[in-house]
């Protein structure tokens, strides 16, 4: 049985904002700013006590937002995230047992990997698109270039250490379908309620070109 494909989602935007929401009241205006800026795919990380409530609020109140749950690290996160309204899941890494749980999820998943062996293990579960994390620390662009030949069927969403200075280099790789990053959602802008700044950063990111074909 084939897994739910993330390609229709990833085709919508070249950048997935990786969001840490500390205050629930920031969730809806932040998501609206990102959608207005052309970045509808929003990864809300499960790093704070309000993360699931933030996903629930955005899913019910922000038209056009496509919510993902990030930092999914255990099977319990899968059910809780989907119940809250997550349309896709992202993990920072994937153990063999957890890979099986993610493969059984009813929504698209970007399982995390940082090596060729991990990528091959995930490929054996049926995954075709993976999160490459932490991208810069794990080899960055040279790593992704080097595995394009031996693993031609795989596509990646690199995340970690990516920003305005290197994002275009990543998106120029044919095996990179999108990138994840937090530079479009600066913590100081969120704290200050400066969602116009977030919208403008999102707009610039939404105009980036990518080499990957869908």
């Amino acid at each position: 049985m084939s897994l739910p494909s993330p390609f229709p989602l990833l085709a919508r935007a070249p950048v997935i904002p990786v969001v840490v929401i500390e205050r629930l009241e920031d969730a809806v205006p932040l998501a609206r700013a990102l959608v207005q800026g052309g970045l509808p795919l929003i990864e809300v990380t499960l790093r704070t006590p309000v993360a699931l409530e933030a996903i629930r609020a955005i899913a019910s109140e922000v038209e056009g937002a496509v919510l993902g749950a990030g930092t999914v690290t255990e099977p319990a996160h899968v059910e809780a995230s989907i119940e809250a309204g997550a349309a896709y899941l992202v993990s920072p890494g994937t153990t063999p047992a957890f890979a099986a749980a993610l493969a059984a999820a009813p929504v698209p998943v970007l399982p995390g990997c940082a090596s060729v062996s991990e990528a091959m293990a995930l490929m054996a579960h049926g995954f075709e698109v993976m999160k490459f994390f932490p991208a810069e620390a794990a080899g960055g662009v040279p790593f992704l270039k080097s595995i394009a030949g031996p693993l031609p069927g795989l596509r990646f969403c690199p995340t970690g250490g990516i920003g305005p200075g290197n994002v275009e280099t990543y998106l120029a790789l044919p095996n990179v379908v999108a990138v994840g990053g937090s530079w479009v959602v600066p913590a100081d802008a969120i704290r200050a309620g400066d969602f116009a700044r977030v919208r403008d950063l999102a707009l610039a990111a939404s105009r980036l070109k990518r080499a990957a074909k869908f």
Side-chain angles (χ1 to χ4, degrees):
M1 183 178 67
S2 60
L3 305 183
S5 174
F7 284 116
L9 297 180
L10 295 171
R12 299 189 185 194
V15 175
I16 300 176
V18 179
V19 179
V20 178
I21 296 179
E22 301 284 353
R23 302 177 304 195
L24 185 57
E25 60 265 30
D26 293 329
V28 168
L30 176 62
R32 284 184 176 145
L34 290 169
V35 172
Q36 289 168 3
L39 299 183
L41 301 181
I42 304 170
E43 178 187 333
V44 177
T45 61
L46 302 184
R47 302 180 192 175
T48 68
V50 301
L52 287 173
E53 283 303 310
I55 291 173
R56 185 173 285 107
I58 295 169
S60 64
E61 297 184 42
V62 182
E63 184 177 357
V66 182
L67 268 293
T71 321
V72 173
T73 58
E74 58 185 78
H77 288 163
V78 174
E79 182 177 354
S81 298
I82 295 172
E83 188 278 330
Y88 64 97
L89 307 174
V90 186
S91 72
T94 321
T95 64
F98 191 40
L102 291 176
V107 298
V109 178
L110 298 178
C113 72
S115 71
V116 172
S117 294
E118 291 172 356
M120 291 176 64
L122 289 169
M123 186 167 56
H125 280 280
F127 291 105
E128 296 178 312
V129 186
M130 303 165 192
K131 174 177 179 173
F132 175 47
F133 177 82
E136 281 289 280
V141 168
F143 175 85
L144 290 168
K145 283 183 176 179
S146 70
I147 66 172
L151 299 176
L154 295 186
R155 299 293 180 267
F156 297 91
C157 178
T159 306
I162 298 176
N166 60 4
V167 60
E168 290 180 281
T169 307
Y170 277 96
L171 288 173
L173 300 177
N175 61 346
V176 169
V177 290
V179 302
S182 59
W183 82 91
V184 294
V185 283
D188 60 337
I190 297 174
R191 284 194 298 269
D194 189 356
F195 300 113
R197 180 182 168 199
V198 172
R199 181 200 61 217
D200 291 346
L201 289 168
L203 184 61
S206 72
R207 293 171 173 167
L208 293 168
K209 305 299 183 184
R210 49 187 164 182
K213 306 299 181 184
F214 292 87

